[in-house]
Amino acid sequence: QVQLVESGGGFVQPGGSLRLSCAASGNIFSIASMGWYRQVPGKKRELVRHITSGGSTDYADSVKGRFAISRDNAKNTVYLQMNSLKPEATAVYYCYVFTGRDTWGKGTLVTISS
């Protein structure tokens, strides 16, 4: 069993920044990939950013140049640095980890509003 603990969500004004973190624990041999997804009411969950075991990243065009993903392998933790936040980025953000099977976090709410 693998468990994920997310933190860092909250309220921020447009143009501000937040950093999300996700720590994995449990029966972990290796983490092939980690990432962040987001979801708003009435819409499907979508990829924000993703990072592989080799360090390469994938991201949605909408966050290019504004959101950065990083990881600390020793702590089994992934981070999402979000800069220049826009109101449309308001969503519940979910951590995802693949260790041979899919594991999802419970989600952390990010609200961008004046």
Side-chain angles (χ1 to χ4, degrees), residues 38 62-68 81-86 89:
R38 65 187 179 191
S62 62
V63 303
K64 182 180 180 180
R66 298 187 297 110
F67 289 13
Q81 179 67 47
M82 303 185 292
N83 299 323
S84 301
L85 284 165
K86 300 177 181 179

Side-chain angles (χ1 to χ4, degrees), residues 14 18 28 30-31 35 40 50 56 65 72 78 83 90-91 94 105 111 114:
L18 284 175
I28 301 173
S30 65
I31 300 177
V40 299
H50 193 252
S56 62
D72 184 334
V78 63
N83 299 323
T90 294
Y94 296 89
T111 302
S114 298

Side-chain angles (χ1 to χ4, degrees), residues 47-100:
L47 171 69
V48 178
R49 292 215 66 174
H50 193 252
I51 185 168
T52 70
S53 59
S56 62
T57 62
D58 291 321
Y59 51 83
D61 290 340
S62 62
V63 303
K64 182 180 180 180
R66 298 187 297 110
F67 289 13
I69 192 168
S70 62
R71 67 184 182 187
D72 184 334
N73 290 332
K75 297 180 179 180
N76 290 324
T77 300
V78 63
Y79 305 92
L80 182 68
Q81 179 67 47
M82 303 185 292
N83 299 323
S84 301
L85 284 165
K86 300 177 181 179
E88 54 264 39
T90 294
V92 176
Y93 285 71
Y94 296 89
C95 180
Y96 166 82
V97 172
F98 182 68
T99 59

